[in-house]
């Protein structure tokens, strides 16, 4: 990816270049660093204003860590996180060191967490939880604060009277709504949804997904949707990025990615998703990569996916493939991208 | 469904939990059967009672839970040294959970695997030790023979280099491998029924696909019946022969998998299928939402448990009586008044309790299958 | 899973739900219950803890109003009643034919053996000393400033002997001394625990919050302190206290010595909670909301472990009481005229006492009662401390 797409394209609100997040592995009494877990290893992506970018992958791929780097919960090891401010200036969030510098941007980029139980302080009322960001930033207090919280609760489908209650009075889906209200408290522009529906019951997921879409329309929000459920991602995302062991392997429009993937891992991932139609059982011709997901602390040489890839050649074990633009904003990190015949998702749509 | 192939018949099972805050009717009158060599999927969301049902079959319900009513008839084939196969029917509900009789069945005839393999395998024993122990417990194998059988079964479930892996500890294995080890342990004594309680929920999607394929393959090779509990409709579509949909302790619909997906009758089943995003060509419509949420188990709604969220509810009926089970066609039944062919629906005054007796006698719906 | 036992979940606001199916929801008390209320409700169900709690409160009440419970001043000695056995209280007097009601005790017939000069006491039913509740006795000041002279129990005629628990080697009333000792023994526990609390929370918090080498250093110091044998350590520290110090100064000195090791246990608990809390999503959320580190600690983390601290403190007090008792028993701690249970037990240190005057060990029973009730209550508190445990 060329440097600074964000400069050239005013539609881009967030760009990530060469992002790396390496966690040291510390051992022994003297706490010596003996290696690194390369949770995020040279990730490049960009998000356009008002769109939903999905970030998918399996456990250990680094999607959650990427989200947390962008929101600056961690300080990245290296790389750029370029953000376009409301007055059209480009700021590199990765370079900001102190909390004071980051403060203004913390209002613009917010996060919705995965676990509805541990993301809300059980000892605080809803008023305190949703009102905390408002109070911390000295935006409002007293009656005005209550009014704002009431409005936020209503927006996410909860009654304003609930603000006196504690989280233990609510179910998982309702708690997630509280988390969404908290994320919206400061009128953000970008919201990172970190596996926000994964912990919910199936019937509640639909409610929350619809809510997220409504809020996006109403407030012009940009979403980075981190998830592992490919059906959910297909439903809600405009573009999707696929990660494997800290690397971005493919990035494309949702429809293109799902119908015509160009990376063998994406193909395997799509093939593995169980389709909710018994007439589509493809057992026998499912593509199952051999072996297990690679260890981010000791990744294979060259292309990380090569030990499990059915198209692997010698080059794949030596040289790491770069992320290339194959046209139409379809980026793939594979030496043979475009030359392989890969299967996407079947065309048959199920009528319930 | 001929009688000869029945492996397990559950009739009118009720398991209640008696807590300080109240009584939770976790399983409230459930009927289903499992045929030999077939897979039954039990689907439902949290609080529907699918896990408690499985635990009731194995008699491992933790106190303060208790099976208070019902039969669980297990058709066991007694293979004596002679050639004749005799079928013995045992009512699992009547066996004391602590008796030796149920211990003979657990692990040997009916095996169970769980969602979280890390907590289901002992962290201080090697997987070989754990599997061998199961074998020596239920068969007459010696330690050496048990070890050989263990290695064989590990190979069967696809663990590479089983001769070395047999001496590893669970924490040395990845999630997928641990789940395979647990399946190996479950299969080691060649059970006729495998109960799998959300075995793939905690796994990555590619690992999940591997495990599902493995279970299907093993079923075909061994003729083993599987009761697969899950909330993922995609997995159900991949693996089930028959499906049972549960809601708040009751079976709301039961039928072959194709019927459930392509001709669902119960409003909950229909709503559930419409609320899950389906992978396929992009038609961005809104997901249909089931309004509200699963009610609090201590405060069940009167009448049909689903009625507060049902778009097709009939006021005065659905909130008063528990709908009787209606057989739409052999093998497909529904618990909903929309299909109850019997003439008059009791309105206020009469029948203010759910009609208990009719639950176990399916009423021939006059409307028949639609 | 929702945990609201007494209400229906309301379907989420939507215009399509017909009004008649929207179940009327009362805001149950549980929904607006703070963590303290939840803790209290959970504690209430723990019967043993509740009973023990009452006992603990009673013991502290005695400590506060010790003089009210005493019969005679604890240092009042009576040469002719040394080692007098306890006088049982009677209610019904049958000696003169018809039963008479009224509290009384019987007197002693004292005989002195000519050879060993040993005093023997025999209960003499002819001597009757009436006793009453809320009797007038020696003067004292409630809480140090309100003058009073009423006592819980005392002889009707001042000067009559009333030794409910017997007398010691100087003829001092064991019961009165026991009551007096309560104050010192129970308060040393409190004082010591307060000092431990401050040190423990501070050092444990720093250790857990910052981690890294600070954590490493503090933990190693804790381990070192805990590995020192306590009694020799106390002995040396107590020996370091100048003998010329007034009793009160020695009292504080002992308290400090006991807290010297006591803080380590609390520090570990606090550190553990901080480590666990650091990883919680809501702490990260607070950081992302713009809260400073100090605000996060005070507003989010401290309330989360406060209940655990309270439970730990309650369980630490018995340790302090036992330590003081042990020290004083060995003669290293408090000394007469200061009265504590440990000092009282010094009198029971020889075989003569145990064999002939076993009532001198009553203070030991008091220690057992205090320690057990505090332990049970602390257990109940600890179980209730995390009402959100899933």
């Amino acid at each position: 990816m060329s440097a600074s797409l964000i400069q050239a394209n005013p539609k881009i609100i967030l760009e990530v270049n060469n992002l790396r997040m390496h966690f040291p592995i510390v051992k022994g009494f003297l706490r010596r660093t003996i290696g690194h877990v390369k949770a995020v290893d040279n990730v490049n992506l960009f998000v356009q204003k008002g769109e939903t970018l999905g970030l998918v992958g399996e456990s250990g791929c680094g999607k959650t860590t990427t989200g947390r780097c962008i929101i600056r919960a961690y300080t990245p090891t290296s790389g750029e996180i370029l953000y376009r401010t409301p007055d059209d200036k480009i700021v590199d969030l990765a370079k900001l060191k102190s909390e004071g510098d980051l403060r203004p941007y913390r209002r613009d980029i917010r996060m919705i967490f995965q676990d509805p139980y541990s993301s809300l302080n059980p000892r605080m009322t809803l008023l305190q939880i949703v009102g905390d960001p408002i109070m911390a930033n000295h935006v409002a207090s007293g009656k005005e604060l209550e009014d704002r919280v009431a409005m936020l609760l209503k927006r996410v489908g909860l009654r304003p009277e609930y603000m006196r209650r504690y989280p233990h009075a609510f179910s998982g889906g309702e708690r997630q709504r509280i988390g969404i209200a908290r994320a919206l408290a400061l009128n953000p522009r970008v919201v990172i949804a970190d596996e926000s529906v994964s912990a919910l019951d199936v019937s509640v997921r639909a409610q929350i997904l619809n809510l997220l879409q409504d809020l996006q329309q109403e407030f012009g929000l940009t979403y980075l949707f981190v998830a592992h459920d490919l059906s959910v991602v297909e439903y809600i995302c405009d573009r999707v990025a696929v990660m494997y062991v800290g690397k971005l392997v493919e990035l494309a429009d949702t429809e293109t990615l799902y119908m015509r993937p160009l990376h063998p891992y994406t193909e395997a991932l799509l093939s593995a998703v169980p389709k909710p139609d018994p007439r589509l059982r493809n057992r026998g011709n499912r593509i199952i990569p051999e072996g297990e997901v690679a260890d981010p602390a000791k990744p294979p040489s060259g292309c990380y996916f090569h030990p499990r890839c059915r198209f692997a050649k010698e080059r794949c074990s030596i040289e790491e493939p770069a992320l290339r633009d194959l046209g139409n904003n379809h980026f793939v990190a594979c030496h043979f991208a475009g030359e392989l015949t890969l299967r996407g998702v079947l065309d048959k749509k199920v009528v319930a | 469904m001929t009688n000869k192939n029945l492996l397990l018949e559950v009739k009118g099972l009720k398991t209640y939990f008696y807590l300080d805050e109240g009584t939770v009717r976790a399983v409230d009158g459930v009927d289903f059967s499992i045929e030999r060599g077939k897979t039954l999927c039990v689907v439902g969301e949290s609080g529907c009672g699918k896990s408690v049902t499985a635990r009731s079959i194995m008699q491992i319900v933790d106190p303060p839970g208790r099976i208070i009513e019902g039969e669980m008839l297990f058709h066991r084939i007694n293979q004596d040294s002679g050639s004749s196969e005799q079928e013995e029917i045992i009512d699992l509900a009547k066996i004391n959970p602590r008796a030796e009789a149920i211990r003979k069945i657990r692990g040997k005839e009916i095996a169970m695997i769980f969602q979280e393999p890390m907590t289901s395998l002992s962290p201080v024993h090697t997987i070989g030790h754990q599997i061998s122990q199961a074998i020596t417990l239920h068969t007459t194998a010696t330690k050496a023979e048990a070890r050989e059988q263990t290695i064989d079964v590990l190979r069967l479930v696809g663990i590479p280099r089983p001769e070395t892996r047999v001496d590893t500890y669970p924490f040395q294995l990845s999630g997928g491998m641990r789940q395979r080890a647990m399946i190996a342990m479950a299969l080691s004594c060649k059970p006729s029924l495998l109960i799998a309680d959300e075995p793939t929920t905690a796994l990555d999607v590619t690992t999940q696909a591997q495990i599902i394929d493995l279970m299907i393959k093993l079923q075909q090779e061994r003729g083993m019946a599987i009761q697969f509990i899950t909330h993922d409709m995609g997995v159900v579509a991949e693996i089930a022969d028959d499906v049972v949909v549960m809601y708040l302790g009751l079976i709301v619909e039961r039928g072959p998998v194709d019927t459930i997906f392509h001709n669902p009758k119960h409003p909950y089943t229909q709503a559930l299928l419409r609320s899950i995003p389906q992978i396929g060509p992009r038609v961005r419509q809104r997901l249909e939402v089931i309004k509200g949420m699963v009610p609090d188990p201590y405060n069940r709604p009167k009448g049909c448990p689903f009625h507060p969220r049902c778009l097709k509810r009939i006021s005065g009926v659905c909130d008063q009586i528990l709908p009787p089970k209606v057989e739409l066609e052999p093998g497909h039944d529904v618990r909903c008044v929309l299909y109850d062919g019997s003439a008059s629906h009791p309105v206020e005054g009469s029948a203010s309790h759910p009609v208990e007796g009719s639950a176990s006698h399916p009423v021939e719906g006059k409307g028949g299958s639609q | 899973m929702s945990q609201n036992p007494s209400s229906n979940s309301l379907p989420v606001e939507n215009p399509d739900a017909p009004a008649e199916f929207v179940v009327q929801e009362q805001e149950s008390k549980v929904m607006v219950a703070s963590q303290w209320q939840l803790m209290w409700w959970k504690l209430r169900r723990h019967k043993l803890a509740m009973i023990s709690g009452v006992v603990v409160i009673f013991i502290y009440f005695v400590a506060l109003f010790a003089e009210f419970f005493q019969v005679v001043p604890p240092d009042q000695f009576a040469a002719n009643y040394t080692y007098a056995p306890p006088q049982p209280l009677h209610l019904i007097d049958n000696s003169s034919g018809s039963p008479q009601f009224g509290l009384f005790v019987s007197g002693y017939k004292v005989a002195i053996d000519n050879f060993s000069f040993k005093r023997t006491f025999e209960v003499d039913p002819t001597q009757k000393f009436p006793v009453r509740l809320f009797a007038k006795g020696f003067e004292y000041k409630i809480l140090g400033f309100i003058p009073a002279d009423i006592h819980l129990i005392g002889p009707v005629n001042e000067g009559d002997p009333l030794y409910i628990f017997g007398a010691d080697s100087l003829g001092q009333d064991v019961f009165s001394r026991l009551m007096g000792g309560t104050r010192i023994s129970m308060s040393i526990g409190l004082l010591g625990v307060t000092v431990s609390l401050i040190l423990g929370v501070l050092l444990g918090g720093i250790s857990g919050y910052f981690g890294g080498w600070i954590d490493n250093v503090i933990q190693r110091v804790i381990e070192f302190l805990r590995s020192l044998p306590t009694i020799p350590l106390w002995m040396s520290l107590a020996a370091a206290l100048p003998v010329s110090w007034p009793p009160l100064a020695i009292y504080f000195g002992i308290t400090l010595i006991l807290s010297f090791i006591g803080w380590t246990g609390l520090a570990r608990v606090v550190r553990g909670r901080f480590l666990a809390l650091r990883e919680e999503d809501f702490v990260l959320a607070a950081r992302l909301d713009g809260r400073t580190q100090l605000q996060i600690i005070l507003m989010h983390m401290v309330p989360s472990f406060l209940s655990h601290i309270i439970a730990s403190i309650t369980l630490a007090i018995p340790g302090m009481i036992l330590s003081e008792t042990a020290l004083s028993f060995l003669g290293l701690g408090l000394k007469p005229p200061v009265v504590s249970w440990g000092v009282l037990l010094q009198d029971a240190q020889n075989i003569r006492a145990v064999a002939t005057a076993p009532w001198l060990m009553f203070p030991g029973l008091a220690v057992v009662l205090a320690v057990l009730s505090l332990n049970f209550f602390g257990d109940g508190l600890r179980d209730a401390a995390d009402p959100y445990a899933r």
Side-chain angles (χ1 to χ4, degrees), chain C residues 14-37:
Chain C
N14 68 78
D16 316 312
E20 71 263 26
F21 281 106
V22 167
V23 184
Q24 245 356 296
E25 184 190 58
Q26 304 113 304
E27 190 163 76
S28 76
K29 287 193 299 194
V30 179
M31 292 184 172
V32 288
S34 67
Q35 74 155 338
W36 303 110
Q37 274 173 312

Side-chain angles (χ1 to χ4, degrees), chain C residues 343-359:
Chain C
V343 169
L344 291 176
L345 281 173
Q346 264 210 316
D347 286 345
Q349 234 178 38
N350 53 62
I351 188 70
R352 173 188 182 180
V354 172
T356 60
W359 52 89

Side-chain angles (χ1 to χ4, degrees), chain A residues 275-278 281 283, chain B residues 232-240 257 261:
Chain A
K275 325 277 183 287
D277 181 1
R281 281 183 192 180
R283 14 178 171 166
Chain B
D232 187 339
M233 293 305 271
V235 172
V236 174
E238 293 272 338
I239 197 176
V257 63
F261 276 88

Side-chain angles (χ1 to χ4, degrees), chain A residues 156-172:
Chain A
V156 298
L158 296 169
R159 287 205 169 146
E161 307 84 88
Y162 291 177
M163 68 169 89
R164 292 193 302 138
R165 298 189 185 183
Y166 289 85
H168 62 256
F170 299 96
S171 68

Side-chain angles (χ1 to χ4, degrees), chain A residues 269-315:
Chain A
L269 213 54
L270 292 171
S271 163
V273 176
K275 325 277 183 287
D277 181 1
R279 296 178 188 169
L280 294 177
R281 281 183 192 180
N282 58 359
R283 14 178 171 166
N285 41 11
R286 202 207 305 274
I287 299 151
I288 301 187
E290 279 186 34
E292 303 275 318
V293 178
D295 181 3
K298 281 198 302 275
S301 57
C303 168
Y304 288 0
F305 188 61
H306 88 262
R308 311 174 69 197
C309 180
R310 59 197 183 117
F311 300 104
K313 301 273 192 302
E314 203 189 319
R315 186 180 174 198

Side-chain angles (χ1 to χ4, degrees), chain A residues 62-128:
Chain A
K63 55 191 193 295
T64 297
T65 312
T66 305
R68 294 195 173 199
C69 281
I70 293 176
I71 204 169
R72 285 304 310 273
Y74 302 138
T75 304
T77 311
S78 68
E80 300 179 311
I81 303 171
L82 302 171
Y83 168 65
R84 183 186 298 276
T85 65
D87 31 315
D88 228 13
K89 286 211 254 304
I90 314 277
V91 178
D92 184 0
L93 298 174
K95 298 284 178 302
L96 302 176
K97 293 280 187 270
S98 73
E99 278 297 320
D101 291 337
L102 281 166
R103 190 165 261 251
Y105 308 108
R106 290 234 186 273
R107 302 168 63 150
D108 288 349
I109 309 180
R110 304 275 290 155
M111 183 176 262
I112 307 169
F113 295 87
Q114 171 177 5
D115 186 352
Y117 292 93
S118 71
S119 59
L120 305 177
N121 188 337
R123 293 164 172 88
M124 286 184 157
T125 60
L126 258 59
L127 173 62
Q128 291 169 310

Side-chain angles (χ1 to χ4, degrees), chain A residues 58-59 171 201-203 207 210 214 231 234-236 238 274-277 279 281 283 286 288-289 292 350, chain B residues 45-46 174 204 206 210 213 216 237-238 240 258 262 276 278-280 282 284-287 289-290 292:
Chain A
E58 297 180 291
S59 48
S171 68
D201 270 332
V202 169
S203 64
Q207 293 178 7
N210 285 347
D214 289 342
S231 332
E234 193 202 7
Y235 175 70
I236 197 175
D238 301 305
K275 325 277 183 287
D277 181 1
R279 296 178 188 169
R281 281 183 192 180
R283 14 178 171 166
R286 202 207 305 274
I288 301 187
E292 303 275 318
V350 179
Chain B
E45 299 177 287
S46 42
S174 69
D204 282 326
T206 47
Q210 292 174 347
D213 282 2
I216 295 172
E238 293 272 338
D258 197 83
H262 290 281
I276 49 180
Q278 297 186 5
I279 208 166
R282 302 244 48 219
R284 206 181 210 173
Q285 325 158 301
R286 275 172 87 67
L287 287 175
V289 158
I290 307 182

